[in-house]
Amino acid sequence: VFYAGLTCFRDARKRLWVGTEKGLLWLDEARDTLVEWLPLRNFFGTTDLLLDVRQMIENEEGMWIVTSRGLFLKKSAADEVTSIRQFEGQNLYHLYMDADRVFWLATRGGGMVQWDRKTNDTKRFTTAQGLSNNTVYAIFEDPNGYLWMSTNVGLNVLHKKNGAVQVFMTRDGLTNNEFNFASQLRMPDGRFLLGGLDGVVYTGSAHGWVEA
């Protein structure tokens, strides 16, 4: 018996993965059944794994697994998992990879973390750098190089080049300041949706964002 599913992802080998509140599953299509991926459970050495798997995303290194207890890498075609030391034990919600191999991670209570995969350097953005709240649920980049972040209090926009942050709240037209985790989607046309307590914000319009 598994807890509720949080996210789904189909990798480059066409395998379907399901992130749940108790770990990671994969679909055995030959048997038409979901099977627990044991390397992640075995990493923690417990028979009762409490682990939110919130996102899977792939690049040339393999499949990155974003969880409530850190960031993990499953190398392509390998049935093993590696924990990323910089993020061990951290409660993560979302990962965005930009074209320069810089990772941007949304955290619960720790703001947003910039991780340069090439140099291994990290930088953290919190309320001290202008964010409206330190719980960030999702991160997307628009064509102009701005990072849009849904948070627990407000919609934040970071200019990657100079670090300037702009905050949108109900005073700016949002119907509610609080967004949700596991409530984001990039559309085929490049726009993205960010879900909150009172509707959805989508960006990419001529006006920056629109409430729907």
Side-chain angles (χ1 to χ4, degrees), residues 43-72:
F43 177 86
F44 290 97
T46 178
T47 57
D48 186 23
L49 180 62
L50 296 177
L51 178 75
D52 284 6
V53 175
R54 294 170 172 155
Q55 182 191 10
M56 291 80 74
I57 185 171
E58 204 168 23
N59 68 0
E60 69 279 359
E61 294 184 78
M63 184 174 75
W64 297 88
I65 305 168
V66 178
T67 81
S68 57
R69 296 170 67 179
L71 178 64
F72 299 86

Side-chain angles (χ1 to χ4, degrees), residues 100 104 123 141 144-147 158-164:
D100 297 320
W104 304 84
K123 179 179 180 180
E141 184 174 6
N144 298 314
Y146 290 89
L147 295 177
L158 172 73
H159 194 298
K160 288 168 55 178
K161 298 296 185 183
N162 60 24

